[in-house]
Amino acid sequence: MQTQHRVIFGSSQQMPELATGSVQLMVTSPPYPMIEMWDDLFAKADPKIAKLWRKLEAGCGEEAVAQIYDAMHCYLGEIWQETFRVLIDGGVACINIGDATRRLKGKFKLFPNHARVTEICEKIGFTALPYILWKKPTNKPSYKGKGAFLGSGFLPPNAYVTLDCEFILLFRKGNLRKFEPKDPKRYGSAFTKPQRDEWFSQIWTLKGTRQTENEMERRTAAFPDEIAERLIRMFSIEGDVVLDPFLGSGTTIKAAIGYGRNSVGYELDSNFLSIINQKTANSGKGAVVQIIKR
Ligand SMILES: C[S@@+](CC[C@H](N)C(=O)[O-])C[C@H]1O[C@@H](n2cnc3c(N)ncnc32)[C@H](O)[C@@H]1O
């Protein structure tokens, strides 16, 4: 089956290329609020955030930190809202996100991103479903080793637990999807019993791309192919349209090609074009990939 794939270089805050109710599944991993590697992106996306960081530097502690965190989630929220519009009734949204810990102005703080995304998506109208915990076997405590809170050796009580799990949050828009009895595409998309037993259990132990992939993928914090592949096979059928509004290196499109789904990805940074081309070219199966620059 030939499938169609669109890579759109532009912001997914608005997705005018997609009609309302035209997408069956969203699989994505956004920039994580309060993780340092994404500070510049958020500050560029919303000048209010850049201003708040300056306010923090000038000494307005707690209040500015809370406002920065709110504004970052407000930015992501625009994309969850737009995703809700383009999904069909019964469509599923899968959001891979990690919590953050950070010491700001000498004070340690946890930013529970998974909880904030869940609250925002529920307000938009999504139904939250049981989520997956992605456990990375040898995850480093934080970006570039900064803010590693393992410091107290073997002495209680002041050490912090390492964040070595990320969340894969699952949401549904509206009702369960309906199919004709024995729908051939649905039956053609079935998984095996061992796959079902493993994929539908709550903890997935998988290596992150940091341990397996190249420099460009590290720069975009790509998730492993297997995450996108499992989610696509669990929550869509052949011929469906899969959306990734934070495409990065193109992992979701690669997985969609591999499993006979159509796809659309949005990415702000056109420097990822060559890695997206590489990933999608090798996935084969008669896929047509169109690159669109807004
Ligand atoms: C965590 S990375 C995604 C990595 C991806 N899952 C992969 O496997 O390569 C998040 C990406 O979202 C992009 N991004 C941030 N805001 C965006 C927006 N409004 N529209 C489109 N892309 C955006 C960033 O440039 C970054 O590449």
Side-chain angles (χ1 to χ4, degrees):
M1 179 175 41
Q2 197 186 59
T3 53
Q4 307 288 329
H5 307 270
R6 277 183 286 170
V7 177
I8 300 170
F9 284 105
S11 175
S12 51
Q13 287 160 292
Q14 300 293 326
M15 304 190 239
E17 297 81 3
L18 299 181
T20 299
S22 61
V23 166
Q24 283 78 18
L25 173 66
M26 186 267 262
V27 171
T28 203
S29 182
Y32 299 176
M34 302 314 273
I35 292 283
E36 213 177 325
M37 77 176 280
W38 299 114
D39 283 357
D40 289 347
L41 184 142
F42 281 111
K44 253 190 225 151
D46 180 353
K48 195 174 82 204
I49 296 178
K51 212 167 140 194
L52 284 165
W53 279 118
R54 287 196 293 274
K55 199 171 146 192
L56 180 64
E57 283 309 307
C60 309
E62 288 283 302
E63 194 193 323
V65 172
Q67 287 169 343
I68 290 167
Y69 185 50
D70 287 350
M72 288 176 171
H73 276 285
C74 189
Y75 171 66
L76 298 184
E78 290 178 47
I79 293 141
W80 312 141
Q81 178 77 59
E82 186 65 347
T83 297
F84 189 80
R85 177 185 73 77
V86 303
L87 278 176
I88 60 161
D89 188 41
V92 170
C94 309
I95 302 174
N96 165 221
I97 194 157
D99 291 345
T101 49
R102 194 148 171 186
R103 195 175 287 280
L104 287 163
K105 295 285 170 192
K107 200 164 174 218
F108 173 80
K109 200 167 160 44
L110 169 71
F111 297 92
N113 287 318
H114 79 281
R116 185 62 73 93
V117 170
T118 303
E119 270 170 32
I120 291 172
C121 286
E122 285 190 313
K123 266 191 203 134
I124 288 170
F126 281 108
T127 302
L129 307 174
Y131 52 78
I132 293 157
L133 287 172
W134 168 24
K135 178 153 172 46
K136 302 180 187 183
T138 58
N139 192 32
K140 291 206 180 79
S142 70
Y143 181 59
K144 282 188 180 165
K146 275 189 209 156
F149 301 108
L150 301 171
S152 310
F154 300 97
L155 300 177
N158 292 337
Y160 298 104
V161 169
T162 304
L163 295 181
D164 56 7
C165 283
E166 294 195 6
F167 292 77
I168 299 172
L169 303 173
L170 303 171
F171 301 96
R172 182 184 294 115
K173 174 180 170 179
N175 303 301
L176 292 177
R177 270 177 82 179
K178 291 200 173 65
F179 296 93
E180 293 299 321
K182 300 276 174 200
D183 180 314
K185 283 189 180 159
R186 188 181 188 201
Y187 276 69
S189 310
F191 27 77
T192 64
K193 182 175 182 306
Q195 285 169 338
R196 189 205 56 190
D197 293 348
E198 191 176 350
W199 299 350
F200 286 86
S201 70
Q202 203 181 13
I203 298 178
W204 290 1
T205 303
L206 293 171
K207 276 187 187 165
T209 45
R210 259 165 224 206
Q211 291 117 7
T212 56
E213 302 292 348
N214 68 27
E215 175 55 31
M216 199 64 183
E217 284 184 309
R218 275 194 292 276
R219 256 192 58 202
T220 190
F223 45 39
D225 292 356
E226 194 164 352
I227 294 234
E229 288 168 2
R230 285 186 185 190
L231 295 169
I232 284 174
R233 297 192 60 196
M234 289 162 76
F235 299 113
S236 71
I237 66 169
E238 286 170 7
D240 276 355
V241 177
V242 181
L243 163 69
D244 188 342
F246 298 100
L247 184 64
S249 64
T251 315
T252 303
I253 292 191
K254 178 180 174 189
I257 292 173
Y259 288 96
R261 276 63 162 173
N262 301 290
S263 68
V264 183
Y266 286 85
E267 174 51 53
L268 276 183
D269 187 347
S270 53
N271 289 318
F272 290 122
L273 178 58
S274 61
I275 188 167
I276 292 171
N277 275 335
Q278 257 175 45
K279 278 200 181 189
T280 55
N282 297 332
S283 307
K285 296 206 176 170
V288 177
V289 182
Q290 204 189 345
I291 308 289
I292 299 161
K293 293 196 182 177
R294 276 219 196 116

